[in-house]
Amino acid sequence: MTGSGTTDALGFDGVPLAELYGGSDAVPPGGSGSGTTAASDRSTPTEPAPRMARHVQRAHAAVLEAHRAISARQALLAGAGTATGQRDDPRAWARLGGAFAVLRAGAARLPDAAAPGVYEVTWPGQVPAEPTGLHARPAGPGATDPCCLVHDGDRRLVASIVRSAPGLSERGPTRRHVPDVPPEFRPLALAAVHRLPVSGLDALAAGDIAGVFGDAFDQGGLEPEDLPEPWPARLLEDITIEPGGGPYGHGLLVATARTEAGRDTAPVWPWLVAAATEALRVYVFHQGVHLCLPGARVRPLADRPTRIEVLDPAASRAGALRFTVEVTGLGLAPRPYATADCEVTAAGRTVARLRDIGVTVRERPGADVLPHPERTGCRRAASGGRAVVNELHLAHAAEGDPAEVFAAFGARPTSTSTRPRLPRGGLRMVDRCPRAEIGPAPDRIGGRLTAEYDVPADPWYCRESGDTAMPPFALMEMALQPLGLLGGLSGMTWQYPEQDFVCRNLEGRATLLREVDPRAVTVGQKAVLRSSVPLPGAVIQRSAFELSIDGEAFHAGEATHGYFTAEVLDTQQGLDGGSCVAPWLERRSASPAGARRLDPRADARPGSGRLALLDDVVVVPGGGDHGAGYVWCGKPVRDDDWFFDQHFAHDPVLPGSVGVQMLFQAVQVCAVHTGLVDHLPSPRFTLAVGEELRWSYRGQILRHHRRVRGEAHLREVRREHDRLLVRADGSVWRDDLRIYQVDNIALTVRSGAGREAAR
């Protein structure tokens, strides 16, 4: 395996065969593939002779090992094609994976298991890589369908394998409902390749994951026991991967395999399950989820029935098969997992369908995966060291029990699920922490956190915010989420273990120090706890933050968070002491001169998709408190709004940053529709550099509220050469209560004509 110092079929002391023979698809002489180049052909006259000798020796060893592997696999498949012998030896079938051996043993005990039919398999727990004492037994009395249980010694491995009447349809099952905003999964590392031939699949099985997928997957420096578990023998011939593809947006895999079992009359469906599972195994490693687990190993997903429909057993033995795998789910908590549906075809004809196949990635037995302030894990940070807190920890803290994850930092067990958490899915904008110090007791002042966020090359919040490199909403979330994480690690909220407890941002200020486009780079996040004040049923903390790229800061400020019990949170009265103070427009006895009502929903420039935050807009040229212009906006609250499911688990609330983004969009619409930017072709709006944005929140917007309204008063419009600077102040209402105040909404407007021409 790479970096392990061991010798295997496809890599020696960290030197993969792709390097020895040239090219990522290269294979040893005598293997499948062509165009290989001998190691000596790649050497130069100045290369030392000992190094050449080592290359030749390693290449020769690789050829021998490859021939041994091919011979072993041919012997195995030959056994599969006979009526007796090796086919029924569990140790032989275990070479194709423990799960396959288990299914094979169970299928052999079912009547007519080689005929067309529907099979359902349920795994109760982890399956060993090489089960040694397999035996199957029929289910007890009362089973209505043919059913058996599979054990390894005294341990049950399969809860049940059930066969029911065929009743199959060529049309196939109806696809699941796809939500308007499906959960997004960001890979832990970006793979350099998306198609693997035989050589790439064999290299993965041998442990050369970085050699196949790229340097981002390198795990050099880990102890051998912390490297991924060796894979079973390969079944697939090639696989093409489309990350984020398929109808569910989680991935689409197309693979081919050859059964080579034409003489075999035994059930073929366990082999189909094994091949489809192998495709999922390749995909979870392609997504890098193994990087946060020591000794990563792939196992069937437990307690989730898998349905196998076999339409044409004879055709499924006819050599070349095509597996089309639609990934239906992908996540990290409580352990990394992938689920999928699969259609198996031969010569264009559907021969089988697999529904709800699933795999999970587990750590090696006995490994401690929980974070500890004085211990780093196996996950490498972008800064070069290893992370104290990784993506798995943060996902589990968002979805599971934060106190369990951060017990080493002083977290105490709680009896409630409503606790301070990070957002979920595409709304979470912190990935891992190379450094975490909680500060001295009792107040933890001085605690600091260094975190990282890998910004996607094409993040949804950039696509859906018009022509903006980075919307204010995203910058606020990148800055504030590490502060919430630091506050949770400080442990002040755990003194209320029996009460619901939530985190709310109360106020803050931030300045963009320089223009950046952080797409496709890693943003460094720093947080420092400045003060912490415990109150009855609450803790108020003030922290400083800084965002940077390559160590150079581009966004900085500070914010105050409140950690509240539900009873204290319910006492919030808004910004006006509980009084209902209407927006400026609604206090006019008559419509102001020049007021115009707009329907911005057909204009995607301010925002689209999730960031289409304006349903109704009124602009008043020369209106507002300063006579420089005014804009009013409104939008209904829907209980299925996208942010409620992601912010936060057990505590759905509209993020304050979304309200701030709405006001920025309203100012943009006001500038466009009052003629302020008419002199700029294709005006492009960006957050102004050097301007301090300030905000205060004194209320929350929940599912049951009816409407969000906002207003902005323009107070300065300054023309500077080829750009325009617009400053405004604004507020947000929840129904009739003013709950947000946002000052110095500052936008720079430039001509985007040159930018458009360059596209």
Side-chain angles (χ1 to χ4, degrees), residues 283-503:
Y283 189 55
V284 293
F285 273 76
H286 180 276
Q287 297 295 287
V289 301
H290 64 287
L291 296 172
C292 59
L293 286 170
R297 52 205 60 212
V298 177
R299 297 291 185 265
L301 197 57
D303 301 320
R304 183 185 180 95
T306 297
R307 177 184 173 92
I308 304 107
E309 300 180 357
V310 182
L311 289 86
D312 191 340
S316 64
R317 304 181 214 277
L321 297 177
R322 178 185 176 93
F323 293 75
T324 301
V325 183
E326 297 175 347
V327 182
T328 58
L330 191 61
L332 291 175
R335 289 295 186 275
Y337 68 90
T339 58
D341 294 337
C342 175
E343 182 174 69
V344 185
T345 57
R349 174 181 173 82
T350 300
V351 298
R353 300 188 190 95
L354 288 71
R355 189 172 177 86
D356 286 326
I357 57 175
V359 298
T360 183
V361 186
R362 309 287 304 191
E363 67 276 12
R364 60 175 169 78
D368 183 6
V369 299
L370 294 178
H372 192 281
E374 299 178 357
R375 183 185 66 231
T376 57
C378 61
R379 176 65 165 133
R380 176 169 293 168
S383 55
R386 300 201 179 274
V388 174
V389 178
N390 62 39
E391 292 89 340
L392 173 64
H393 303 141
L394 297 182
H396 193 79
E399 307 279 351
D401 184 353
E404 176 184 332
V405 178
F406 299 122
F409 290 83
R412 305 171 190 170
T414 63
S415 60
T416 69
S417 59
T418 305
R419 309 299 298 177
R421 300 173 183 273
L422 288 171
R424 301 189 287 182
L427 195 52
R428 184 164 65 248
M429 298 185 194
V430 57
D431 287 329
R432 57 196 165 268
C433 304
R435 180 184 178 188
E437 300 174 4
I438 60 174
D443 51 22
R444 305 300 186 187
I445 295 175
R448 60 184 59 240
L449 194 72
T450 301
E452 297 175 344
Y453 170 52
D454 299 327
V455 182
D458 185 25
W460 68 267
Y461 43 80
C462 289
R463 294 195 308 270
E464 298 179 10
S465 64
D467 191 21
T468 303
M470 190 61 56
F473 151 77
L475 286 174
M476 293 180 71
E477 290 298 325
M478 288 183 208
L480 296 180
Q481 289 183 22
L483 303 190
L485 177 58
L486 177 59
L489 289 175
S490 71
M492 300 299 289
T493 65
W494 297 320
Q495 59 186 293
Y496 305 95
E498 306 301 323
Q499 300 185 59
D500 288 340
F501 218 90
V502 300
C503 174

Side-chain angles (χ1 to χ4, degrees), residues 623-660:
D625 289 343
H626 311 290
Y630 173 86
V631 58
W632 174 98
C633 59
K635 181 178 177 62
V637 177
R638 297 175 39 165
D639 62 3
D640 62 348
D641 276 325
W642 65 273
F643 40 76
F644 286 134
D645 285 335
Q646 297 188 15
H647 188 266
F648 305 95
H650 310 290
D651 178 29
V653 61
L654 181 144
S657 57
V658 170
V660 174

Side-chain angles (χ1 to χ4, degrees), residues 60-436:
H60 179 66
V63 173
L64 294 178
E65 185 64 26
H67 280 298
R68 282 195 292 268
I70 292 171
S71 299
R73 186 166 186 268
Q74 288 175 338
L76 176 63
L77 293 174
T82 61
T84 59
Q86 195 172 15
R87 183 194 67 193
D88 299 317
D89 183 354
R91 290 173 297 179
W93 287 115
R95 289 179 58 89
L96 296 181
F100 175 71
V102 171
L103 293 182
R104 183 82 174 188
R109 293 299 303 269
L110 287 176
D112 300 322
V118 179
Y119 303 85
E120 185 176 280
V121 176
T122 305
W123 305 91
Q126 294 192 53
V127 179
E130 297 184 5
T132 56
L134 288 179
H135 58 96
R137 63 184 67 162
T144 57
D145 293 313
C147 177
C148 72
L149 310 177
V150 184
H151 292 68
D152 183 20
D154 295 331
R155 179 186 177 191
R156 181 186 295 183
L157 299 181
V158 178
S160 64
I161 300 177
V162 182
R163 180 180 185 274
S164 60
L168 304 175
S169 169
E170 290 287 348
R171 294 171 54 191
T174 303
R175 282 200 172 101
R176 299 168 176 80
H177 169 70
V178 180
D180 294 336
V181 183
E184 295 192 17
F185 182 84
R186 290 186 299 106
L188 275 64
L190 296 179
V193 298
H194 303 291
R195 180 187 177 276
L196 300 180
V198 165
S199 58
L201 292 168
D202 282 341
L204 286 182
D208 190 13
I209 300 168
V212 175
F213 288 143
D215 291 343
F217 294 77
D218 180 42
Q219 293 186 286
L222 292 182
E223 295 296 328
E225 64 179 3
D226 287 336
L227 294 172
E229 177 187 64
W231 290 13
R234 173 182 52 78
L235 298 177
L236 302 181
E237 302 292 334
D238 64 71
I239 185 170
T240 300
I241 301 170
E242 183 184 343
Y248 306 101
H250 289 302
L252 179 65
L253 319 175
V254 179
T256 59
R258 185 174 298 276
T259 62
E260 301 181 21
R263 293 177 294 132
D264 193 354
T265 59
V268 73
W269 62 263
W271 189 95
L272 301 178
V273 173
T277 300
E278 181 178 328
L280 271 186
R281 179 172 63 232
V282 171
Y283 189 55
V284 293
F285 273 76
H286 180 276
Q287 297 295 287
V289 301
H290 64 287
L291 296 172
C292 59
L293 286 170
R297 52 205 60 212
V298 177
R299 297 291 185 265
L301 197 57
D303 301 320
R304 183 185 180 95
T306 297
R307 177 184 173 92
I308 304 107
E309 300 180 357
V310 182
L311 289 86
D312 191 340
S316 64
R317 304 181 214 277
L321 297 177
R322 178 185 176 93
F323 293 75
T324 301
V325 183
E326 297 175 347
V327 182
T328 58
L330 191 61
L332 291 175
R335 289 295 186 275
Y337 68 90
T339 58
D341 294 337
C342 175
E343 182 174 69
V344 185
T345 57
R349 174 181 173 82
T350 300
V351 298
R353 300 188 190 95
L354 288 71
R355 189 172 177 86
D356 286 326
I357 57 175
V359 298
T360 183
V361 186
R362 309 287 304 191
E363 67 276 12
R364 60 175 169 78
D368 183 6
V369 299
L370 294 178
H372 192 281
E374 299 178 357
R375 183 185 66 231
T376 57
C378 61
R379 176 65 165 133
R380 176 169 293 168
S383 55
R386 300 201 179 274
V388 174
V389 178
N390 62 39
E391 292 89 340
L392 173 64
H393 303 141
L394 297 182
H396 193 79
E399 307 279 351
D401 184 353
E404 176 184 332
V405 178
F406 299 122
F409 290 83
R412 305 171 190 170
T414 63
S415 60
T416 69
S417 59
T418 305
R419 309 299 298 177
R421 300 173 183 273
L422 288 171
R424 301 189 287 182
L427 195 52
R428 184 164 65 248
M429 298 185 194
V430 57
D431 287 329
R432 57 196 165 268
C433 304
R435 180 184 178 188

Side-chain angles (χ1 to χ4, degrees), residues 570-623:
D570 288 342
T571 65
Q572 285 189 317
Q573 295 182 329
L575 289 164
D576 302 304
S579 301
C580 296
V581 178
W584 178 89
L585 180 66
E586 298 174 24
R587 299 198 305 267
R588 306 300 98 188
S589 58
S591 179
R596 285 193 297 152
R597 184 175 294 274
L598 307 171
D599 183 355
R601 289 174 292 183
D603 186 356
R605 288 177 296 178
S608 61
R610 281 158 282 192
L611 294 183
L613 304 175
L614 304 175
D615 272 16
D616 190 12
V617 172
V618 176
V619 296
V620 183

